[in-house]
Amino acid sequence: MSGKPVGRAAGLISGALLLLSVAAVFLIQNFGSVGVGRTWPAIVAAAGLCLTFIGYLELGLGVAGVFVIWLLSNLGAIAPVGKSWPIFLIWMVVMLIVGFLRSRSSRTS
């Protein structure tokens, strides 16, 4: 758990980001040809970004990255998840390295 309290600005930004992502998903459904069934990972990716704002950097970036990859796959920007699943593993390795480097730098200071 994060040792520092969450500030009002982080909470406000997180709430606004979540509301904007929900609104964007439903606007895309109403005015575009893509439905909620394909764009829902954007909401979870926004929730991951909210975790980064409140102090959980690795967890937030990990969740956001996985669901952005899933969203891109749903929208056809990259190959389907069945073929592009190694990207998830690469992203998790990047997050492990970031976490290791952050813990190492906090130990030295």
Side-chain angles (χ1 to χ4, degrees):
M1 190 148 214
S2 180
K4 58 185 174 181
V6 177
R8 283 183 62 121
L12 181 66
I13 291 170
S14 297
L17 184 63
L18 280 174
L19 285 175
L20 285 173
S21 67
V22 170
V25 165
F26 285 104
L27 276 173
I28 290 170
Q29 178 186 357
N30 289 341
F31 296 110
S33 61
V34 181
V36 174
R38 290 176 54 192
T39 57
W40 67 268
I43 297 171
V44 185
L49 288 178
C50 292
L51 288 172
T52 64
F53 288 129
I54 61 173
Y56 297 100
L57 181 69
E58 294 87 4
L59 177 63
L61 290 178
V63 169
V66 165
F67 282 95
V68 164
I69 294 167
W70 195 341
L71 176 66
L72 291 174
S73 176
N74 282 352
L75 296 177
I78 61 174
V81 173
K83 292 185 177 187
S84 61
W85 63 268
I87 298 172
F88 293 116
L89 296 177
I90 293 168
W91 185 249
M92 289 300 119
V93 169
V94 168
M95 290 297 97
L96 284 172
I97 292 170
V98 167
F100 173 75
L101 293 175
R102 282 187 43 162
S103 69
R104 200 169 140 188
S105 69
S106 69
R107 248 188 292 152
T108 59
S109 58

